[in-house]
Amino acid sequence: MKKKLPGLLPYAAALAAAFYLLPCLTTDTGAAMVMMLCVIPMTAFFTAVIYGVRRGFDLLLPAAAMLLFAPTVLLFYNETAWPYVIIYGGIVLAGNGAGRIFHERR
Protein backbone atom coordinates (compact mmCIF):
# COMPACT_ATOMS: atom_id res chain seq x y z
CA MET A 1 0.00 0.00 0.00
CA LYS A 2 2.86 2.38 0.66
CA LYS A 3 3.95 1.97 -2.95
CA LYS A 4 0.46 2.77 -4.26
CA LEU A 5 -0.06 5.94 -2.24
CA PRO A 6 2.47 8.22 -4.01
CA GLY A 7 1.00 7.23 -7.38
CA LEU A 8 -2.50 7.94 -6.11
CA LEU A 9 -1.78 11.43 -4.77
CA PRO A 10 -1.83 13.40 -8.07
CA TYR A 11 -5.17 11.87 -9.01
CA ALA A 12 -6.59 12.47 -5.55
CA ALA A 13 -5.42 16.08 -5.85
CA ALA A 14 -7.24 16.39 -9.18
CA LEU A 15 -10.39 15.00 -7.58
CA ALA A 16 -10.01 17.36 -4.63
CA ALA A 17 -9.64 20.30 -7.01
CA ALA A 18 -12.81 19.27 -8.82
CA PHE A 19 -14.73 18.76 -5.59
CA TYR A 20 -13.56 21.90 -3.79
CA LEU A 21 -12.73 24.49 -6.47
CA LEU A 22 -15.46 23.94 -9.06
CA PRO A 23 -18.36 24.64 -6.64
CA CYS A 24 -16.75 28.00 -5.90
CA LEU A 25 -17.36 28.99 -9.53
CA THR A 26 -21.13 28.68 -9.24
CA THR A 27 -23.24 31.80 -8.89
CA ASP A 28 -26.75 30.43 -8.61
CA THR A 29 -28.63 27.20 -7.99
CA GLY A 30 -28.89 26.32 -11.68
CA ALA A 31 -25.15 26.61 -12.18
CA ALA A 32 -24.57 24.55 -9.04
CA MET A 33 -26.84 21.80 -10.36
CA VAL A 34 -25.05 21.72 -13.72
CA MET A 35 -21.74 21.59 -11.89
CA MET A 36 -22.88 18.80 -9.57
CA LEU A 37 -24.67 16.71 -12.19
CA CYS A 38 -22.40 17.17 -15.22
CA VAL A 39 -19.04 18.83 -14.75
CA ILE A 40 -17.84 17.23 -11.51
CA PRO A 41 -18.91 13.68 -12.46
CA MET A 42 -17.26 13.97 -15.88
CA THR A 43 -14.07 15.29 -14.29
CA ALA A 44 -14.09 12.47 -11.75
CA PHE A 45 -14.76 9.85 -14.42
CA PHE A 46 -11.99 11.00 -16.74
CA THR A 47 -9.53 11.35 -13.86
CA ALA A 48 -10.32 7.75 -12.91
CA VAL A 49 -9.96 6.58 -16.52
CA ILE A 50 -6.52 8.16 -16.77
CA TYR A 51 -5.56 6.58 -13.44
CA GLY A 52 -6.79 3.19 -14.66
CA VAL A 53 -4.86 3.44 -17.94
CA ARG A 54 -1.64 4.41 -16.21
CA ARG A 55 -1.80 2.46 -12.95
CA GLY A 56 -4.45 -0.24 -13.35
CA PHE A 57 -7.43 -0.96 -11.13
CA ASP A 58 -7.29 0.17 -7.51
CA LEU A 59 -10.12 0.45 -4.97
CA LEU A 60 -8.23 3.18 -3.14
CA LEU A 61 -9.19 5.76 -5.76
CA PRO A 62 -12.98 5.41 -5.32
CA ALA A 63 -12.48 5.37 -1.55
CA ALA A 64 -10.39 8.53 -1.79
CA ALA A 65 -13.06 10.16 -3.95
CA MET A 66 -15.74 9.35 -1.39
CA LEU A 67 -13.61 10.62 1.49
CA LEU A 68 -12.74 13.79 -0.37
CA PHE A 69 -16.30 14.56 -1.43
CA ALA A 70 -17.97 13.96 1.94
CA PRO A 71 -16.81 17.24 3.55
CA THR A 72 -18.03 19.24 0.55
CA VAL A 73 -21.60 18.29 1.41
CA LEU A 74 -21.22 20.26 4.61
CA LEU A 75 -19.33 23.11 2.96
CA PHE A 76 -21.20 23.75 -0.28
CA TYR A 77 -24.42 21.73 -0.39
CA ASN A 78 -27.21 20.62 1.92
CA GLU A 79 -28.15 17.22 3.35
CA THR A 80 -29.79 16.15 0.10
CA ALA A 81 -26.30 15.84 -1.43
CA TRP A 82 -25.21 12.94 0.80
CA PRO A 83 -26.15 10.28 -1.80
CA TYR A 84 -23.63 11.88 -4.16
CA VAL A 85 -20.84 10.58 -1.96
CA ILE A 86 -21.75 7.06 -3.05
CA ILE A 87 -22.67 8.11 -6.59
CA TYR A 88 -19.32 9.81 -7.17
CA GLY A 89 -17.56 6.80 -5.67
CA GLY A 90 -19.39 4.62 -8.19
CA ILE A 91 -18.52 6.96 -11.05
CA VAL A 92 -14.84 6.84 -10.10
CA LEU A 93 -15.04 3.06 -9.73
CA ALA A 94 -16.55 2.76 -13.22
CA GLY A 95 -13.95 5.08 -14.70
CA ASN A 96 -11.14 3.19 -13.02
CA GLY A 97 -12.53 -0.08 -14.36
CA ALA A 98 -12.82 1.36 -17.87
CA GLY A 99 -9.26 2.62 -17.72
CA ARG A 100 -8.04 -0.76 -16.54
CA ILE A 101 -9.22 -2.29 -19.82
CA PHE A 102 -6.75 -0.10 -21.69
CA HIS A 103 -4.05 -0.67 -19.08
CA GLU A 104 -4.02 -4.38 -19.90
CA ARG A 105 -3.50 -3.66 -23.60
CA ARG A 106 -0.31 -1.67 -23.02
Side-chain angles (χ1 to χ4, degrees), residues 46-86:
F46 288 121
T47 300
V49 168
I50 293 168
Y51 181 86
V53 168
R54 293 185 179 169
R55 313 237 350 136
F57 185 77
D58 191 1
L59 288 175
L60 287 176
L61 188 65
M66 293 170 68
L67 288 173
L68 287 169
F69 185 74
T72 66
V73 174
L74 302 172
L75 293 171
F76 300 113
Y77 311 111
N78 57 26
E79 66 276 352
T80 61
W82 281 113
Y84 286 97
V85 173
I86 296 169

Side-chain angles (χ1 to χ4, degrees), residues 85-103:
V85 173
I86 296 169
I87 292 168
Y88 287 167
I91 289 170
V92 171
L93 181 68
N96 192 217
R100 179 180 174 256
I101 294 169
F102 298 106
H103 176 73

